[in-house]
Amino acid sequence: MSPSGEAETYVSSVFIEANFDAVWERISDPSTFPEMYPAWTADVQQIDDATYRGTGPDGDEFVIRPRLNYEFGVADFDVEADGTVERSRSRLFDVTDDACQLVHLATRWEGVDDEYWERHKRGTDADLDRMKRLVEAESSN
């Protein structure tokens, strides 16, 4: 939380030179997260059609539940750890036939100190940049 007590948010955005479907395929599938988002996930295992078990780079465990809407480019994920559920929110926008924009909104959750929040924001930016490079490389082949 910010000093005023309001939820603090951080917006990350990347322009991706790949078509919407190619990007959607990657960002909507939690099993691809360890390759694309190593600052967040080290391992993801599917439990059932709607639930995944994730492990973070520090060994922390969490459950991931996708909340997807292809038509509107909504790639949200409920992430549950220690009884707390946080929502990871992303929106994918079609720009041209071969390009799109991904916008991710992070909300600072209760109990996160300034140092961790800054590390989280840097990790999110790095992960989105990595995802961009991976998807663009795959799309150029």
Side-chain angles (χ1 to χ4, degrees), residues 22-46:
V23 178
W24 180 261
E25 183 179 323
R26 298 287 274 171
I27 68 166
S28 64
D29 180 3
S31 67
T32 68
F33 291 0
E35 179 185 18
M36 293 191 316
Y37 310 132
W40 177 41
T41 54
D43 185 59
V44 172
Q45 299 297 318
Q46 188 167 1

mmCIF file of all heavy atoms in Angstrom, residues 22-46:
data_model
loop_
_atom_site.group_PDB
_atom_site.id
_atom_site.type_symbol
_atom_site.label_atom_id
_atom_site.label_comp_id
_atom_site.label_asym_id
_atom_site.label_seq_id
_atom_site.Cartn_x
_atom_site.Cartn_y
_atom_site.Cartn_z
ATOM 1 N N ALA A 22 -0.398 -15.532 -31.995
ATOM 2 C CA ALA A 22 0.890 -16.064 -31.541
ATOM 3 C C ALA A 22 1.191 -15.615 -30.116
ATOM 4 O O ALA A 22 1.659 -16.406 -29.287
ATOM 5 C CB ALA A 22 2.010 -15.626 -32.479
ATOM 6 N N VAL A 23 0.909 -14.358 -29.821
ATOM 7 C CA VAL A 23 1.147 -13.842 -28.469
ATOM 8 C C VAL A 23 0.139 -14.456 -27.500
ATOM 9 O O VAL A 23 0.517 -14.916 -26.411
ATOM 10 C CB VAL A 23 1.082 -12.303 -28.439
ATOM 11 C CG1 VAL A 23 1.292 -11.787 -27.018
ATOM 12 C CG2 VAL A 23 2.113 -11.703 -29.387
ATOM 13 N N TRP A 24 -1.125 -14.491 -27.902
ATOM 14 C CA TRP A 24 -2.162 -15.051 -27.033
ATOM 15 C C TRP A 24 -1.830 -16.488 -26.634
ATOM 16 O O TRP A 24 -1.988 -16.869 -25.470
ATOM 17 C CB TRP A 24 -3.523 -14.995 -27.723
ATOM 18 C CG TRP A 24 -4.599 -15.560 -26.854
ATOM 19 C CD1 TRP A 24 -5.132 -16.812 -26.911
ATOM 20 C CD2 TRP A 24 -5.237 -14.913 -25.748
ATOM 21 N NE1 TRP A 24 -6.066 -16.987 -25.925
ATOM 22 C CE2 TRP A 24 -6.150 -15.830 -25.196
ATOM 23 C CE3 TRP A 24 -5.130 -13.654 -25.187
ATOM 24 C CZ2 TRP A 24 -6.954 -15.523 -24.106
ATOM 25 C CZ3 TRP A 24 -5.928 -13.345 -24.102
ATOM 26 C CH2 TRP A 24 -6.820 -14.270 -23.572
ATOM 27 N N GLU A 25 -1.395 -17.272 -27.593
ATOM 28 C CA GLU A 25 -1.068 -18.680 -27.318
ATOM 29 C C GLU A 25 -0.068 -18.804 -26.174
ATOM 30 O O GLU A 25 -0.185 -19.669 -25.319
ATOM 31 C CB GLU A 25 -0.512 -19.330 -28.580
ATOM 32 C CG GLU A 25 -0.216 -20.804 -28.427
ATOM 33 C CD GLU A 25 0.301 -21.408 -29.720
ATOM 34 O OE1 GLU A 25 -0.172 -21.023 -30.798
ATOM 35 O OE2 GLU A 25 1.190 -22.269 -29.626
ATOM 36 N N ARG A 26 0.909 -17.919 -26.132
ATOM 37 C CA ARG A 26 1.945 -17.964 -25.092
ATOM 38 C C ARG A 26 1.476 -17.379 -23.769
ATOM 39 O O ARG A 26 1.689 -17.964 -22.719
ATOM 40 C CB ARG A 26 3.194 -17.241 -25.569
ATOM 41 C CG ARG A 26 3.833 -17.874 -26.792
ATOM 42 C CD ARG A 26 4.511 -19.149 -26.463
ATOM 43 N NE ARG A 26 5.855 -18.802 -26.033
ATOM 44 C CZ ARG A 26 6.703 -19.633 -25.498
ATOM 45 N NH1 ARG A 26 6.387 -20.878 -25.329
ATOM 46 N NH2 ARG A 26 7.880 -19.240 -25.120
ATOM 47 N N ILE A 27 0.837 -16.211 -23.804
ATOM 48 C CA ILE A 27 0.505 -15.535 -22.540
ATOM 49 C C ILE A 27 -0.680 -16.152 -21.824
ATOM 50 O O ILE A 27 -0.874 -15.910 -20.634
ATOM 51 C CB ILE A 27 0.274 -14.022 -22.724
ATOM 52 C CG1 ILE A 27 -0.994 -13.748 -23.528
ATOM 53 C CG2 ILE A 27 1.495 -13.357 -23.334
ATOM 54 C CD1 ILE A 27 -1.474 -12.312 -23.458
ATOM 55 N N SER A 28 -1.491 -16.946 -22.526
ATOM 56 C CA SER A 28 -2.676 -17.530 -21.902
ATOM 57 C C SER A 28 -2.425 -18.932 -21.353
ATOM 58 O O SER A 28 -3.303 -19.505 -20.713
ATOM 59 C CB SER A 28 -3.833 -17.574 -22.904
ATOM 60 O OG SER A 28 -3.517 -18.438 -23.981
ATOM 61 N N ASP A 29 -1.239 -19.474 -21.552
ATOM 62 C CA ASP A 29 -0.907 -20.841 -21.134
ATOM 63 C C ASP A 29 0.097 -20.823 -19.985
ATOM 64 O O ASP A 29 1.290 -20.596 -20.213
ATOM 65 C CB ASP A 29 -0.345 -21.610 -22.320
ATOM 66 C CG ASP A 29 0.034 -23.039 -21.978
ATOM 67 O OD1 ASP A 29 -0.189 -23.482 -20.826
ATOM 68 O OD2 ASP A 29 0.572 -23.720 -22.878
ATOM 69 N N PRO A 30 -0.344 -21.063 -18.748
ATOM 70 C CA PRO A 30 0.571 -21.020 -17.612
ATOM 71 C C PRO A 30 1.774 -21.964 -17.724
ATOM 72 O O PRO A 30 2.821 -21.697 -17.136
ATOM 73 C CB PRO A 30 -0.313 -21.409 -16.422
ATOM 74 C CG PRO A 30 -1.672 -20.968 -16.832
ATOM 75 C CD PRO A 30 -1.734 -21.261 -18.317
ATOM 76 N N SER A 31 1.650 -23.033 -18.496
ATOM 77 C CA SER A 31 2.786 -23.949 -18.611
ATOM 78 C C SER A 31 3.982 -23.297 -19.309
ATOM 79 O O SER A 31 5.107 -23.779 -19.186
ATOM 80 C CB SER A 31 2.381 -25.240 -19.334
ATOM 81 O OG SER A 31 2.075 -24.989 -20.688
ATOM 82 N N THR A 32 3.769 -22.186 -20.015
ATOM 83 C CA THR A 32 4.875 -21.474 -20.676
ATOM 84 C C THR A 32 5.534 -20.434 -19.768
ATOM 85 O O THR A 32 6.562 -19.866 -20.120
ATOM 86 C CB THR A 32 4.398 -20.762 -21.960
ATOM 87 O OG1 THR A 32 3.524 -19.681 -21.613
ATOM 88 C CG2 THR A 32 3.706 -21.717 -22.912
ATOM 89 N N PHE A 33 4.961 -20.183 -18.598
ATOM 90 C CA PHE A 33 5.441 -19.110 -17.734
ATOM 91 C C PHE A 33 6.900 -19.251 -17.284
ATOM 92 O O PHE A 33 7.616 -18.248 -17.254
ATOM 93 C CB PHE A 33 4.532 -18.936 -16.524
ATOM 94 C CG PHE A 33 3.164 -18.386 -16.850
ATOM 95 C CD1 PHE A 33 2.785 -18.073 -18.143
ATOM 96 C CD2 PHE A 33 2.240 -18.199 -15.843
ATOM 97 C CE1 PHE A 33 1.521 -17.573 -18.438
ATOM 98 C CE2 PHE A 33 0.975 -17.693 -16.108
ATOM 99 C CZ PHE A 33 0.617 -17.382 -17.405
ATOM 100 N N PRO A 34 7.376 -20.440 -16.916
ATOM 101 C CA PRO A 34 8.774 -20.509 -16.471
ATOM 102 C C PRO A 34 9.781 -20.043 -17.530
ATOM 103 O O PRO A 34 10.774 -19.397 -17.203
ATOM 104 C CB PRO A 34 8.971 -21.990 -16.131
ATOM 105 C CG PRO A 34 7.602 -22.453 -15.747
ATOM 106 C CD PRO A 34 6.681 -21.718 -16.699
ATOM 107 N N GLU A 35 9.509 -20.338 -18.778
ATOM 108 C CA GLU A 35 10.407 -19.891 -19.849
ATOM 109 C C GLU A 35 10.289 -18.389 -20.078
ATOM 110 O O GLU A 35 11.279 -17.698 -20.260
ATOM 111 C CB GLU A 35 10.074 -20.633 -21.148
ATOM 112 C CG GLU A 35 10.940 -20.204 -22.313
ATOM 113 C CD GLU A 35 10.535 -20.838 -23.632
ATOM 114 O OE1 GLU A 35 9.407 -21.350 -23.757
ATOM 115 O OE2 GLU A 35 11.372 -20.815 -24.548
ATOM 116 N N MET A 36 9.059 -17.882 -20.036
ATOM 117 C CA MET A 36 8.828 -16.476 -20.344
ATOM 118 C C MET A 36 9.016 -15.545 -19.159
ATOM 119 O O MET A 36 9.459 -14.421 -19.315
ATOM 120 C CB MET A 36 7.402 -16.291 -20.887
ATOM 121 C CG MET A 36 7.193 -16.938 -22.217
ATOM 122 S SD MET A 36 5.640 -16.477 -23.003
ATOM 123 C CE MET A 36 4.453 -16.568 -21.666
ATOM 124 N N TYR A 37 8.636 -15.986 -17.974
ATOM 125 C CA TYR A 37 8.610 -15.123 -16.791
ATOM 126 C C TYR A 37 9.442 -15.698 -15.645
ATOM 127 O O TYR A 37 8.919 -15.999 -14.569
ATOM 128 C CB TYR A 37 7.165 -14.930 -16.317
ATOM 129 C CG TYR A 37 6.162 -14.522 -17.374
ATOM 130 C CD1 TYR A 37 4.940 -15.172 -17.483
ATOM 131 C CD2 TYR A 37 6.427 -13.467 -18.257
ATOM 132 C CE1 TYR A 37 3.993 -14.790 -18.432
ATOM 133 C CE2 TYR A 37 5.493 -13.088 -19.211
ATOM 134 C CZ TYR A 37 4.282 -13.747 -19.301
ATOM 135 O OH TYR A 37 3.351 -13.374 -20.235
ATOM 136 N N PRO A 38 10.748 -15.865 -15.828
ATOM 137 C CA PRO A 38 11.563 -16.505 -14.792
ATOM 138 C C PRO A 38 11.682 -15.705 -13.490
ATOM 139 O O PRO A 38 11.990 -16.277 -12.456
ATOM 140 C CB PRO A 38 12.922 -16.687 -15.462
ATOM 141 C CG PRO A 38 12.966 -15.656 -16.538
ATOM 142 C CD PRO A 38 11.538 -15.510 -17.008
ATOM 143 N N ALA A 39 11.393 -14.415 -13.521
ATOM 144 C CA ALA A 39 11.424 -13.647 -12.269
ATOM 145 C C ALA A 39 10.235 -14.016 -11.390
ATOM 146 O O ALA A 39 10.257 -13.804 -10.181
ATOM 147 C CB ALA A 39 11.413 -12.142 -12.557
ATOM 148 N N TRP A 40 9.197 -14.603 -12.000
ATOM 149 C CA TRP A 40 7.987 -14.964 -11.269
ATOM 150 C C TRP A 40 7.870 -16.463 -11.039
ATOM 151 O O TRP A 40 7.514 -16.906 -9.948
ATOM 152 C CB TRP A 40 6.753 -14.448 -12.009
ATOM 153 C CG TRP A 40 5.450 -14.832 -11.388
ATOM 154 C CD1 TRP A 40 5.148 -14.844 -10.049
ATOM 155 C CD2 TRP A 40 4.275 -15.284 -12.050
ATOM 156 N NE1 TRP A 40 3.848 -15.265 -9.846
ATOM 157 C CE2 TRP A 40 3.288 -15.539 -11.072
ATOM 158 C CE3 TRP A 40 3.942 -15.487 -13.384
ATOM 159 C CZ2 TRP A 40 2.014 -15.976 -11.380
ATOM 160 C CZ3 TRP A 40 2.673 -15.914 -13.685
ATOM 161 C CH2 TRP A 40 1.729 -16.158 -12.690
ATOM 162 N N THR A 41 8.147 -17.272 -12.057
ATOM 163 C CA THR A 41 7.903 -18.703 -11.953
ATOM 164 C C THR A 41 9.109 -19.530 -12.381
ATOM 165 O O THR A 41 9.739 -19.252 -13.392
ATOM 166 C CB THR A 41 6.702 -19.143 -12.830
ATOM 167 O OG1 THR A 41 6.932 -18.697 -14.158
ATOM 168 C CG2 THR A 41 5.400 -18.603 -12.320
ATOM 169 N N ALA A 42 9.399 -20.541 -11.599
ATOM 170 C CA ALA A 42 10.464 -21.488 -11.932
ATOM 171 C C ALA A 42 9.885 -22.791 -12.464
ATOM 172 O O ALA A 42 10.522 -23.499 -13.245
ATOM 173 C CB ALA A 42 11.322 -21.768 -10.700
ATOM 174 N N ASP A 43 8.648 -23.103 -12.050
ATOM 175 C CA ASP A 43 8.007 -24.343 -12.471
ATOM 176 C C ASP A 43 6.498 -24.180 -12.400
ATOM 177 O O ASP A 43 5.984 -23.513 -11.492
ATOM 178 C CB ASP A 43 8.435 -25.505 -11.562
ATOM 179 C CG ASP A 43 7.877 -26.838 -12.034
ATOM 180 O OD1 ASP A 43 8.165 -27.234 -13.183
ATOM 181 O OD2 ASP A 43 7.144 -27.477 -11.254
ATOM 182 N N VAL A 44 5.794 -24.785 -13.367
ATOM 183 C CA VAL A 44 4.334 -24.801 -13.368
ATOM 184 C C VAL A 44 3.886 -26.187 -13.790
ATOM 185 O O VAL A 44 4.353 -26.723 -14.792
ATOM 186 C CB VAL A 44 3.743 -23.739 -14.330
ATOM 187 C CG1 VAL A 44 2.237 -23.904 -14.456
ATOM 188 C CG2 VAL A 44 4.069 -22.330 -13.867
ATOM 189 N N GLN A 45 2.974 -26.749 -13.011
ATOM 190 C CA GLN A 45 2.402 -28.060 -13.313
ATOM 191 C C GLN A 45 0.882 -27.926 -13.364
ATOM 192 O O GLN A 45 0.282 -27.311 -12.476
ATOM 193 C CB GLN A 45 2.782 -29.085 -12.230
ATOM 194 C CG GLN A 45 4.270 -29.303 -12.090
ATOM 195 C CD GLN A 45 4.896 -29.874 -13.350
ATOM 196 O OE1 GLN A 45 4.335 -30.757 -13.982
ATOM 197 N NE2 GLN A 45 6.054 -29.353 -13.712
ATOM 198 N N GLN A 46 0.265 -28.508 -14.392
ATOM 199 C CA GLN A 46 -1.183 -28.457 -14.503
ATOM 200 C C GLN A 46 -1.809 -29.458 -13.540
ATOM 201 O O GLN A 46 -1.408 -30.618 -13.487
ATOM 202 C CB GLN A 46 -1.618 -28.767 -15.934
ATOM 203 C CG GLN A 46 -3.084 -28.532 -16.159
ATOM 204 C CD GLN A 46 -3.461 -28.522 -17.634
ATOM 205 O OE1 GLN A 46 -2.636 -28.715 -18.507
ATOM 206 N NE2 GLN A 46 -4.734 -28.288 -17.887
#
